[in-house]
Amino acid sequence: MASCAEEQLMCSICLGVFTDPVTISCGHNFCIACIRRHRDTSPYSRCPLCGVVLDLKTNFKINTTIKEIAESIKRKRIQEKTEVTCDSCPKRKWIAIKSCLHCGISFCESHLEPHKTAEKLMKHKLIDPVENLDDYICRKHERPLELYCKDDEIAVCRFCTENDHKAHNTIHMEEESLNLVMKTKVEWKIQDRMRKIKEIKHSTRFNKRATEKETEENTRFFRDIFERCSAELGKEMEEKETQTERRAEELIGELEQEIMELKRRKTKLEHPLDFIQMINLQRDTLCNSRSSNIRTSVHEHGANLRKAISQLQNRLHEKMRETVSRELRSIQRFAVDVTFDPDTAYPELMLSDDGKKVWNAGKSRHIPENPKQFDYCSCILGKDGFSLQNFYFEVDISGKTEWDVGVATESVNRKGDIGLSPENGYWTVWLRKSNEYAANDVIPVPLILKEKPVKIGVFVDFEGGLISFYDVEARYHIYSFTGQTFAEKLYPYFSPGEYEEGQNLQPIIITSVDSIE
């Protein structure tokens, strides 16, 4: 249990006693490595304790006073030792006085005697007794960890210096320093896991607040937009109803005038009339009744609703563009530098000198057989693969009548006809016959796009099992493969399509990623 004084000297990020502590502008203290990592990797560069914004240009300076106190606490902890018993005692276990790194066991004074007298055993490496002997032995070579590699900051054995650490800077460690390294290593593992637990809890709380806020904003948006459209539709219908009532009153007045005129004629007809009077009475004009204009028009009511729905669609489309723009800004920070791998290119494909353009020249090149090469389909992969990380790239496919874009696993079949499907290690969208778009899922999905894409953005969330495609210029989400599992590296995949007698000669171009405004 840490004392109050020790708790004051513990970093709230790694949860361990300070290592090279620094004091930031708000007055809180952290390990220099911890606060740098937090500042450089967190989407919100703020103090983890009070939320004050961190200056990205600040060069942290070590607080020497706090460092000295923290190191004294560390030395005190190292001096605290637990009793280790002899592994060779059959029944009653005596206290061990040494542990042998070659034998892998600890000995009491009597059982240690052979190591003092036998010539071969005298060459064994003995250290002060420890419980976790396996941590002091190289797992690869099963030899004592007698040296310390300064380059990789790990303990190594003599065999390691002949192989993986041959050119590295290594020093010999005395028993106490070796013990310190091992304890520090275990302590670091504990602290690292505790830090991860804290980060997960913090991330969970942050995500919960962000989700609640987003849900509230989305609910308000849909409520407002539907209420506004409903109010506008109601107002327009009310205005039309008012116009209809006004027109009805006008027509009723006209019809009443006609009735009075018809009654006057009826009165005249009750008396005998000669032929001339009959002709004149027939010639008298009456108002033409327009009562047929007052009717319930299904077409008119349908037009009103259609107009309201069209306005709603326009507003939703604007919101969609805004949402996709925000989404693209978020994922574009995972942009990677992609170049075409000539070793994988189909023989008819030509590449630019910078490795950023590829097109089908319609004529096969004579090149040596290559196991990495696509030999039947007009395809090519990116030079570098990616695993256990998010990545994003953009490709210009303007002016083409046929293309494929996506990602593929390293082990995909490249010989003969290939089937573009997640089951075969391909996640792609394509264009065929100038206007037929599809996502090549397990069951191909036809895509209806609002406009012909100029630039396609591809985003991969490796651990999340997500691959998404975007129309970058139109700010439009095209398709997403979700719930995928990737067991190996993923490589950017492209196909400029067939030559088509020069109709599809335009190149596919890997473009730099420009931030969305």
Side-chain angles (χ1 to χ4, degrees), residues 107-164:
F107 299 100
C108 64
E109 187 170 0
S110 61
H111 287 111
L112 184 65
E113 195 62 30
H115 280 74
K116 297 178 180 180
T117 56
E119 186 176 350
K120 289 185 178 180
L121 294 179
M122 289 175 67
K123 296 179 181 180
H124 286 193
K125 181 69 175 178
L126 298 174
I127 62 172
D128 285 342
V130 293
E131 291 182 326
N132 51 329
L133 262 174
D134 289 340
D135 288 339
Y136 294 76
I137 299 172
C138 177
R139 296 183 180 179
K140 184 175 182 180
H141 302 110
E142 297 184 353
R143 290 293 186 273
L145 296 170
E146 300 173 290
L147 304 170
Y148 183 74
C149 176
K150 286 186 174 182
D151 294 342
D152 293 336
E153 298 182 343
I154 58 172
V156 297
C157 72
R158 295 192 180 278
F159 283 88
C160 292
T161 61
E162 297 173 6
N163 297 290
D164 299 337

Side-chain angles (χ1 to χ4, degrees), residues 35-253:
I35 194 64
R36 276 180 179 166
R37 183 173 61 247
H38 174 78
R39 182 191 65 180
D40 296 341
T41 61
S42 174
Y44 303 98
S45 297
R46 298 176 180 271
C47 172
L49 294 176
C50 66
V52 169
V53 177
L54 300 177
D55 186 352
L56 298 178
K57 298 180 181 179
T58 298
N59 291 321
F60 298 116
K61 294 183 179 180
I62 295 174
N63 188 321
T64 55
T65 303
I66 298 178
K67 179 181 179 180
E68 290 174 0
I69 300 172
E71 288 182 346
S72 67
I73 290 177
K74 289 181 179 179
R75 286 194 295 270
K76 179 182 175 182
R77 288 183 174 183
I78 291 170
Q79 291 170 359
E80 296 175 355
K81 298 181 179 179
T82 56
E83 291 185 344
V84 179
T85 57
C86 176
D87 295 316
S88 297
C89 291
K91 294 182 179 179
R92 182 182 178 183
K93 298 288 185 180
W94 291 94
I95 301 300
I97 60 171
K98 290 291 180 182
S99 294
C100 178
L101 296 181
H102 286 79
C103 299
I105 57 177
S106 300
F107 299 100
C108 64
E109 187 170 0
S110 61
H111 287 111
L112 184 65
E113 195 62 30
H115 280 74
K116 297 178 180 180
T117 56
E119 186 176 350
K120 289 185 178 180
L121 294 179
M122 289 175 67
K123 296 179 181 180
H124 286 193
K125 181 69 175 178
L126 298 174
I127 62 172
D128 285 342
V130 293
E131 291 182 326
N132 51 329
L133 262 174
D134 289 340
D135 288 339
Y136 294 76
I137 299 172
C138 177
R139 296 183 180 179
K140 184 175 182 180
H141 302 110
E142 297 184 353
R143 290 293 186 273
L145 296 170
E146 300 173 290
L147 304 170
Y148 183 74
C149 176
K150 286 186 174 182
D151 294 342
D152 293 336
E153 298 182 343
I154 58 172
V156 297
C157 72
R158 295 192 180 278
F159 283 88
C160 292
T161 61
E162 297 173 6
N163 297 290
D164 299 337
H165 302 265
K166 186 174 183 179
H168 292 187
N169 184 13
T170 58
I171 59 172
H172 191 275
M173 295 191 302
E174 299 298 331
E175 295 175 6
E176 287 299 323
S177 61
L178 179 62
N179 189 41
L180 173 60
V181 169
M182 292 300 102
K183 285 186 175 180
T184 303
K185 182 179 177 182
V186 173
E187 182 68 21
W188 182 86
K189 288 182 178 180
I190 294 171
Q191 292 174 0
D192 181 60
R193 281 150 181 77
M194 292 178 70
R195 178 183 58 80
K196 287 181 179 178
I197 290 173
K198 186 173 181 179
E199 287 179 354
I200 291 170
K201 289 181 177 179
H202 173 76
S203 178
T204 301
R205 288 195 299 270
F206 177 81
N207 287 339
K208 183 179 180 182
R209 287 195 296 269
T211 301
E212 289 173 350
K213 183 179 180 181
E214 185 176 358
T215 301
E216 183 181 345
E217 290 177 351
N218 292 342
T219 301
R220 183 167 59 249
F221 166 75
F222 282 108
R223 183 180 63 245
D224 291 348
I225 194 172
F226 279 107
E227 286 180 355
R228 192 181 311 137
C229 287
S230 178
E232 290 174 357
L233 178 61
K235 183 180 179 181
E236 189 169 338
M237 296 293 288
E238 189 175 322
E239 289 175 354
K240 287 189 176 294
E241 182 62 26
T242 301
Q243 292 175 2
T244 301
E245 290 177 355
R246 189 182 302 116
R247 184 61 187 146
E249 291 175 357
E250 292 174 356
L251 290 175
I252 288 172

Side-chain angles (χ1 to χ4, degrees), residues 476-488:
Y476 184 74
H477 171 257
I478 297 175
Y479 190 78
S480 286
F481 294 87
T482 59
Q484 307 297 305
T485 302
F486 311 120
E488 53 185 297

Side-chain angles (χ1 to χ4, degrees), residues 430-495:
W430 74 13
L431 168 67
R432 292 292 184 269
K433 299 179 182 178
S434 296
N435 59 5
E436 295 180 5
Y437 298 91
N440 297 300
D441 212 324
V442 176
I443 299 176
V445 180
L447 301 173
I448 308 299
L449 305 187
K450 292 183 177 294
E451 53 190 83
K452 197 176 184 69
V454 173
K455 187 183 292 186
I456 298 291
V458 183
F459 171 66
V460 177
D461 180 349
F462 197 97
E463 293 187 346
L466 171 71
I467 301 175
S468 293
F469 298 83
Y470 298 87
D471 181 336
V472 179
E473 301 294 331
R475 310 287 194 271
Y476 184 74
H477 171 257
I478 297 175
Y479 190 78
S480 286
F481 294 87
T482 59
Q484 307 297 305
T485 302
F486 311 120
E488 53 185 297
K489 279 186 177 181
L490 294 178
Y491 286 77
Y493 162 88
F494 313 89
S495 170

Side-chain angles (χ1 to χ4, degrees), residues 338-344 351-352 354-358 380-383 395 494 508-510:
V338 176
T339 54
F340 295 112
D341 184 359
D343 291 339
T344 66
L351 275 69
S352 61
D354 63 359
K356 296 291 186 179
K357 298 179 183 179
V358 65
I380 188 171
L381 297 180
K383 185 172 290 185
V395 56
F494 313 89
I508 280 182
I509 307 172
I510 298 172

Side-chain angles (χ1 to χ4, degrees), residues 253-311:
E254 293 175 4
L255 289 171
E256 288 177 343
Q257 289 293 326
E258 290 182 15
I259 290 172
M260 290 176 63
E261 178 61 24
L262 289 170
K263 285 182 176 179
R264 185 181 65 78
R265 293 184 185 185
K266 180 181 177 184
T267 301
K268 286 184 178 182
L269 289 172
E270 289 177 351
H271 302 284
L273 299 175
D274 57 27
F275 181 75
I276 299 299
Q277 290 175 320
M278 292 286 290
I279 294 298
N280 291 335
L281 188 62
Q282 182 68 26
R283 284 179 178 176
D284 287 349
T285 57
L286 289 173
C287 297
N288 292 322
S289 173
R290 285 170 285 177
S291 60
S292 60
N293 291 339
I294 303 300
R295 64 189 185 279
T296 301
S297 173
V298 175
H299 168 75
E300 201 169 284
H301 285 206
N304 294 334
L305 181 58
R306 186 171 64 251
K307 181 181 177 182
I309 293 174
S310 178
Q311 292 174 344

